[in-house]
Amino acid sequence: PPQDASRLQDAPAFRIEQVPIPGVSLMFFLNTTHPPLDDVRVRQALVYGTDRQASVSAVFRDSSPVAYGPLVANTLGYDATVRAYYPYDPNQAAALLAEAGWTDQDGDGVLDRGGIPLTLDMVLMGWGYMPEVSQLMVDQWSRLGIAVESRVVSYPEALSIADAGTYHLIPFNLSGSDPDILRKFFHSQGSFNWAKAGDAELDSWLDEAARISDPEQRSVLYSQVQHRVMDQALVIPVRDYVNLNGVQAQVEGLRFDSQGWFPWLIDVTLSSD
């Protein structure tokens, strides 16, 4: 109606501000103890075969940055060199799968080895657009000959499944301002060690980084952790978490706290434009 159009014309202009939330990115953990994901080549093939930019564009409409490693980019200790890992390369993914012995011997479109099809069990929770992201990943992997059986479960059920280790892939993300959050996910005794990592060096680096206070020494150790996580393809990073805040166009000087949740209003002004 004309009156609605007039009201919209008179409404103040708004902008959307992306405010990054430190912590770990939205990642799909690869269960390294559950064949065939006990083979690092298969895990690496999955990461190479995942078009993360396509997921972010389709599901999040480019409003959330692509993740390249286990830490969100604005988290203390983040190592930007992880961006070099695993560019989308389905040819490299196919080569790794073939090297690991997976071929389509019966011509049904699904790779197999020794008569066993390459079928993965994916456990999902219903929030955070995890099911939507997984649909794109499943489609991308199907072109490589990988079949996926996915199921959406409640959070308590997901915790039970994760504890039992009866899955191939399961996603999660968590906010936190200190890189020690990595210890929850990649230490062999971590409460969210859903990749089932059992790496003595990872344990040593994470334990040492938790004991010391020197920022430079800690950054070195956490850099080693991030590279080991990606070298071993323990996760498929998808996106860095951000809050999207609508702000009137006249607002200037708006900042948010280091955790990204609360606005600092002390320097805020309103322009006359």
Side-chain angles (χ1 to χ4, degrees), residues 31-246:
N31 185 348
T32 60
T33 65
H34 196 353
L37 298 189
D38 56 340
D39 188 331
V40 67
R41 295 170 297 186
V42 178
R43 300 197 302 271
Q44 290 172 339
L46 287 173
V47 192
Y48 274 120
T50 302
D51 189 345
R52 290 167 284 173
Q53 182 61 63
S55 296
V56 168
S57 296
V59 178
F60 302 103
R61 304 193 178 205
D62 292 315
S63 63
S64 190
V66 173
Y68 296 93
L71 280 182
V72 174
N74 73 321
T75 310
L76 179 71
Y78 173 76
D79 185 347
T81 62
V82 298
R83 293 176 64 92
Y85 282 96
Y86 306 109
Y88 178 52
D89 189 342
N91 291 329
Q92 178 65 14
L96 284 165
L97 291 168
E99 182 183 321
W102 293 94
T103 58
D104 184 8
Q105 297 181 2
D106 56 11
D108 67 349
V110 177
L111 301 179
D112 55 88
R113 188 178 66 183
I116 300 174
L118 182 46
T119 302
L120 303 177
D121 175 39
M122 179 186 288
V123 175
L124 302 163
M125 289 76 91
W127 70 82
Y129 294 97
M130 294 179 190
E132 290 80 0
V133 170
S134 74
Q135 289 174 11
L136 292 171
M137 296 168 68
V138 168
D139 179 65
Q140 292 160 11
W141 295 343
S142 69
R143 300 171 210 165
L144 296 170
I146 300 171
V148 177
E149 296 177 352
S150 62
R151 47 193 165 132
V152 178
V153 302
S154 67
Y155 182 57
E157 188 177 356
L159 292 178
S160 177
I161 292 169
D163 185 59
T166 54
Y167 59 92
H168 286 111
L169 302 106
I170 187 169
F172 204 62
N173 77 286
L174 192 65
S175 63
S177 57
D178 192 276
D180 183 57
I181 195 171
L182 292 171
R183 192 153 49 105
K184 293 178 182 287
F185 294 95
F186 302 108
H187 194 286
S188 60
Q189 302 302 314
S191 54
F192 291 101
N193 179 20
W194 291 357
K196 304 303 179 186
D199 187 317
E201 279 196 306
L202 266 180
D203 285 357
S204 175
W205 296 334
L206 289 165
D207 287 338
E208 185 178 356
R211 286 193 299 265
I212 62 179
S213 58
D214 181 84
E216 292 186 7
Q217 292 179 357
R218 296 186 79 214
S219 291
V220 169
L221 291 165
Y222 286 123
S223 174
Q224 292 173 307
V225 170
Q226 292 166 74
H227 279 275
R228 178 61 61 85
V229 168
M230 297 313 297
D231 282 332
Q232 293 298 309
L234 302 183
V235 297
I236 303 173
V238 177
R239 67 124 175 178
D240 284 356
Y241 194 89
V242 295
N243 278 341
L244 300 179
N245 296 304

